Amino acid sequence: MKVSLQPSLNDANLDATQLNSQRQLSISISAIAEILDRQVPLNLCLILDHSGSMGGRSLETVKEAACRLVDRLNPGDRLSVVVFDHRAKVLVPNQVIEDPEHVKRQINRLAADGGTAIDEGLRLGIEELAKGKKETVSQAFLLTDGENEHGNNDRCLKFAQLAASYNLTLNTLGFGDNWNQDILEKIADAASGTLSYIQRPDQAIAEFGRLFSRVQAVSLTNAYLLFSLMPNVRLAELKPVAQVSPDTIELPVQPEGDGRFAVRLGDLMKDTERVILANIYLGQLPAGKQAIANIQVRYDDPAENQTGLLSANQPVYADVTSVYQPATNPEVQQSILALAKYRQTQLAEAKLQQGDRAGAATMLQTAAKTALQMGDTGAATVLQTSATQLQSGQDLSESDRKKTRIVSKTVLQDTPHQ
């Protein structure tokens, strides 16, 4: 298994007469499958809310979705199931699944009752996942339909950061309309996972299946993007690096001991791009082809039980000319628009929380125009609809808020039926 690393500047030409220039550096990263690569076993933990509000059809469809995942596990894959209401317990301890029917019977016995303590479910889920992490792809699906009324959201975030330090990925699924989108997004972002919205019970099976297919495509883990910047080149001080595909996530930058910067990517999927966007500033450079950065990926290969592997070092060049002509890269422009759509929507939500409905509506309209520019008509419709509701004096429903958050982070795909 190898890593593909493709850097591109939004404009590869620089003006030699300019004292300062700003550029966006897009980096496409993916694992490249080779013929003899062997399948990496999965280590999956389902962390399921079975509080009283999940009663009826909601819990029944979640149980069916979980049972279908059990059926899709390959020999050698591991599974654990943790369930929570206002307490949490391990329903299925971490194990290689040899009797799937017994596991499904355990899941199907679940009944809805009690309140919601997400942090306790997370704590037990991480403990179970950690037991099977050696030479596996370790991911959790955390599903909840409610606020964390019996728990602590700061504790949830600390557990997510702990999971990331153990090389565990947490995906969050908000069920219905009454879950806290801020904390579920923070959990997923901190542990390099994805946030999903299951608006109706009948969508649960397809959404679980879509996420499971993503997990099955993972082949390299614990990946970090490493930046080495040349003299006279620096990262922007505020929000310098973000992922823009498949989901938009602001990524923290950590200094390395050797002067490089590291950005945690988590798991890499086979032949599926992760696109990272870095905002860089360049001082005046002499004319000619100039190296401005070196990039590399550090990663683990669980199939070979190898850690700390390094991809080939990839230099990034700019063409510095005394007679400047822009050389705009349309693909990088798309990435810039995707990040703008996300940040504009975030600003709108902040204004709404401050009671500035007019300001929120204006920012949502701006985000809708950005979505149209990038050809994301689904997001444009959702964002414009929310803006129009605010302008007409209506409040946004919980469903509207959640749709707005999801379309800001990604380009919606049709979910295949499993």
Side-chain angles (χ1 to χ4, degrees):
M1 191 66 61
K2 293 181 180 173
V3 172
S4 167
L5 199 55
Q6 302 289 335
S8 306
L9 289 168
N10 65 318
D11 180 354
N13 290 347
L14 280 178
D15 188 341
T17 65
Q18 284 284 339
L19 294 178
N20 290 287
S21 304
Q22 182 184 15
R23 290 292 183 270
Q24 305 294 325
L25 171 60
S26 171
I27 304 150
S28 170
I29 305 157
S30 62
I32 301 297
E34 296 177 299
I35 294 170
L36 297 176
D37 285 334
R38 72 182 172 91
Q39 184 75 28
V40 184
L42 295 185
N43 173 34
L44 182 66
C45 181
L46 303 179
I47 307 170
L48 305 177
D49 182 347
H50 71 116
S51 58
S53 55
M54 286 288 294
R57 184 153 163 65
S58 297
L59 188 57
E60 291 309 309
T61 54
V62 168
K63 291 194 292 191
E64 185 180 348
C67 288
R68 290 202 188 192
L69 292 196
V70 174
D71 288 333
R72 290 181 65 182
L73 293 171
N74 291 322
D77 286 347
R78 305 184 72 91
L79 178 73
S80 49
V81 181
V82 167
V83 296
F84 65 92
D85 45 29
H86 52 279
R87 296 178 298 270
K89 68 175 182 179
V90 177
L91 188 71
V92 178
N94 188 294
Q95 59 190 270
V96 174
I97 297 304
E98 293 170 349
D99 185 354
E101 294 307 315
H102 173 70
V103 172
K104 289 193 285 186
R105 282 195 298 274
Q106 294 289 96
I107 292 169
N108 280 322
R109 285 195 191 112
L110 265 184
D113 192 26
T116 308
I118 298 170
D119 46 356
E120 277 303 294
L122 257 185
R123 181 181 66 80
L124 283 183
I126 291 166
E127 284 178 9
E128 288 304 309
L129 207 52
K131 292 173 185 175
K133 71 187 283 283
K134 190 177 179 191
E135 296 181 52
T136 63
V137 170
S138 298
Q139 297 213 12
F141 294 179
L142 165 66
L143 178 139
T144 183
D145 76 334
E147 292 274 357
N148 191 23
E149 78 254 23
H150 290 275
N152 180 291
N153 287 339
D154 289 339
R155 198 163 173 245
C156 283
L157 192 52
K158 283 180 180 148
F159 283 139
Q161 291 160 345
L162 179 68
S165 72
Y166 280 138
N167 191 22
L168 309 172
T169 299
L170 305 178
N171 303 286
T172 54
L173 300 99
F175 195 100
D177 290 329
N178 297 315
W179 47 279
N180 184 323
Q181 62 209 44
D182 293 323
I183 192 59
L184 286 199
E185 181 178 10
K186 283 176 181 172
I187 291 168
D189 287 358
S192 302
T194 187
L195 168 68
S196 299
Y197 173 31
I198 301 173
Q199 188 177 7
R200 302 186 314 274
D202 61 5
Q203 296 170 328
I205 291 165
E207 194 58 30
F208 266 57
R210 185 186 72 83
L211 267 184
F212 188 77
S213 295
R214 275 180 68 153
V215 177
Q216 282 187 314
V218 170
S219 54
L220 301 175
T221 63
N222 201 28
Y224 283 80
L225 177 63
L226 304 173
F227 288 90
S228 177
L229 301 176
M230 298 302 167
N232 229 11
V233 181
R234 64 181 174 85
L235 287 172
E237 288 174 15
L238 185 65
K239 295 184 177 177
V241 180
Q243 175 180 296
V244 292
S245 180
D247 313 284
T248 303
I249 303 169
E250 304 282 4
L251 296 174
V253 177
Q254 310 161 357
E256 294 269 288
D258 58 5
R260 291 190 291 182
F261 298 101
V263 176
R264 184 173 189 270
L265 304 173
D267 296 336
L268 297 180
M269 293 180 279
K270 285 192 286 279
D271 305 320
T272 300
E273 279 189 326
R274 295 276 287 283
V275 180
I276 308 301
L277 198 62
N279 187 9
I280 58 173
Y281 287 88
L282 306 99
Q284 192 169 20
L285 295 170
K289 185 177 181 180
Q290 302 292 344
I292 59 171
N294 283 300
I295 54 174
Q296 199 171 26
V297 173
R298 184 175 65 226
Y299 62 95
D300 297 345
D301 186 342
E304 302 297 331
N305 195 23
Q306 293 180 310
T307 59
L309 299 172
L310 290 167
S311 70
N313 203 35
Q314 178 79 49
V316 181
Y317 294 101
D319 291 312
V320 186
T321 59
S322 47
V323 182
Y324 169 71
Q325 291 283 334
T328 307
N329 184 312
E331 286 187 15
V332 183
Q333 288 302 121
Q334 282 290 100
S335 294
I336 292 169
L337 289 172
L339 184 55
K341 176 184 74 165
Y342 176 70
R343 287 179 174 167
Q344 287 157 358
T345 309
Q346 294 283 87
L347 276 174
E349 290 186 0
K351 286 182 181 296
L352 201 53
Q353 285 172 356
Q354 292 158 8
D356 181 3
R357 297 163 67 95
T362 301
M363 286 312 305
L364 285 172
Q365 276 190 314
T366 304
K369 287 175 187 168
T370 303
L372 272 182
Q373 266 185 281
M374 57 185 290
D376 186 0
T377 53
T381 301
V382 170
L383 294 164
Q384 183 58 55
T385 300
S386 292
T388 304
Q389 276 183 250
L390 289 175
Q391 285 168 332
S392 67
Q394 298 176 58
D395 288 324
L396 294 185
S397 69
E398 284 300 322
S399 172
D400 294 330
R401 286 172 184 255
K402 285 161 176 64
K403 280 186 206 161
T404 299
R405 176 71 62 92
I406 294 294
V407 300
S408 79
K409 285 181 75 71
T410 190
V411 176
L412 292 183
Q413 306 293 330
D414 289 331
T415 307
H417 292 292
Q418 298 296 328

